[in-house]
Amino acid sequence: MSQKKVIGVGAPIVDLLALVPESFVEGIPGAKGGMVMVSPEEQQALVEALPEPPLRAPGGAAANTICALGKMGTPVAFLGKVGDDADGRYYLEAFAACGGDTSRFKHTTEKNTARCLSLITPDAARTMRTDLGATLLLRPEEVTAADFAGYDHVFIEGYLLFNPPLAEAALRAAKEAGCTVSLDMGSFEIVRMLRDKLPRLLSEYVDAVFANED
């Protein structure tokens, strides 16, 4: 039996991992342990204020899962949008190093690649400041069944549901390509926001759901 091929759909994000003292988090707006969207300029100001330069790693909810599958020998690819910048090139190289096919990524020169600054205090709590950058520019009309051709299963991150037209375009295209589909719900906020729409999407497109009790 041939091995199943899996493609992920979501936001390719470069993680910036910074070890900081409690005082650093106390000195910035927002609650410790939370995630706040910021502009590229706000994020860069925080990076420049760090006591030590951050470590860089490829991230993103679905991308992390797909990269792990690739490291275990599963043939994998990813559908998401990166910028034409140093972070975008780094991300593609890192994904390829996991064994992933990078040919399904979309590219843009309009915004930089998404980054998430993760401020890690001594108690291991993560306080995140995220710039979604290029990921915001992936449009429904860019996603077609051809993106999923040659793959058996599609793993979609729940955060894609914050953009309902894009999420439905991806789900529809995956089914048109003959793939089975799994959806990681991501967080309880997504379920609350889309409580009226989720039953239809799950019934029409999704074969397996990953969700916790919340």
Side-chain angles (χ1 to χ4, degrees):
M1 181 183 294
S2 62
Q3 190 171 20
K4 297 291 185 181
K5 299 176 69 176
V6 182
I7 180 170
V9 183
I13 300 175
V14 172
D15 285 337
L16 302 176
L17 309 174
L19 299 176
V20 298
E22 292 283 346
S23 58
F24 189 93
V25 173
E26 291 170 357
I28 63 174
K32 176 184 174 181
M35 191 279 289
V36 176
M37 297 294 181
V38 295
S39 69
E41 294 77 18
E42 290 172 317
Q43 187 187 73
Q44 186 58 33
L46 286 172
V47 170
E48 292 174 0
L50 292 172
E52 298 288 342
L55 298 176
R56 188 166 62 166
N64 286 338
T65 298
I66 296 300
C67 193
L69 287 172
K71 288 180 178 179
M72 291 189 291
T74 300
V76 295
F78 196 78
L79 173 60
K81 182 166 277 191
V82 294
D84 183 20
D85 56 7
D87 279 330
R89 290 186 288 275
Y90 161 77
Y91 199 96
L92 295 176
E93 290 170 2
F95 189 79
C98 293
D101 173 8
T102 61
S103 67
R104 312 301 167 103
F105 279 86
K106 311 291 184 181
H107 305 265
T108 182
T109 59
E110 296 179 50
K111 283 184 178 288
N112 289 333
T113 301
R115 302 197 307 177
C116 175
L117 175 60
S118 184
L119 304 169
I120 307 167
T121 43
D123 59 357
R126 296 184 304 157
T127 302
M128 294 175 284
R129 296 293 180 268
T130 304
D131 164 31
L132 288 177
T135 65
L136 295 172
L137 299 182
L138 183 60
R139 300 184 299 273
E141 59 269 25
E142 291 183 271
V143 181
T144 69
D147 290 308
F148 303 107
Y151 285 82
D152 304 294
H153 184 77
V154 181
F155 176 73
I156 299 179
E157 65 182 57
Y159 297 107
L160 200 71
L161 294 168
F162 280 128
N163 185 339
L166 177 59
E168 185 151 7
L171 289 165
R172 187 185 307 114
K175 281 302 182 181
E176 288 177 6
C179 299
T180 54
V181 175
S182 59
L183 176 68
D184 180 352
M185 295 306 299
S187 77
F188 60 85
E189 287 97 340
I190 296 170
V191 177
R192 289 176 180 172
M193 184 184 77
L194 296 169
R195 184 181 296 274
D196 295 336
K197 297 179 180 179
L198 271 175
R200 180 184 65 83
L201 293 177
L202 296 176
S203 176
E204 292 185 13
Y205 300 113
V206 179
D207 300 286
V209 176
F210 294 96
N212 59 25
E213 185 175 4
D214 288 342

